[in-house]
Amino acid sequence: MIIFIVMSDGSPEEVLSKLFRIYDLNSDGMITLREMKKLIKDMYGLLKTDNPKVAAEALIAKTAHAEMDKDSDGNITMEEFITACMGQDEITKMLTLKLVNIFVEDQ
């Protein structure tokens, strides 16, 4: 319930900033490919879906990371994360919708 209150307050950009901070595991201001892989793995666990093959998780993580990492430096900044989540890239859009469902939808 606390997560819902925190995540439902503010503009879409503010909510995405809060989500970014959750997945920036070491709080360095960037999401690495390793952190993205953990995000994908944890998200599938939270959704209680059939666990896809590890290769599928890795492929989704790599694709999402590549979509978000616009300057191709290997790290996703908060600005890149918000821009990608607000954009129309396929994998990023899917992840954003699932993240919002996990953290915001349940009231």
Side-chain angles (χ1 to χ4, degrees), residues 28-76:
D28 67 351
M30 296 178 217
I31 300 173
T32 63
L33 181 55
R34 184 177 184 175
E35 289 168 322
M36 181 63 69
K37 286 180 180 178
K38 176 138 178 56
L39 162 67
I40 300 300
K41 183 177 179 181
D42 291 349
M43 201 165 39
Y44 275 101
L46 285 172
L47 293 173
K48 297 182 182 182
T49 61
D50 293 333
N51 193 9
K53 295 179 182 176
V54 174
E57 287 179 8
L59 178 62
I60 291 170
K62 284 182 183 180
T63 302
H65 195 272
E67 284 180 1
M68 292 181 188
D69 184 18
K70 294 300 183 189
D71 62 4
S72 301
D73 68 351
N75 298 302
I76 301 166

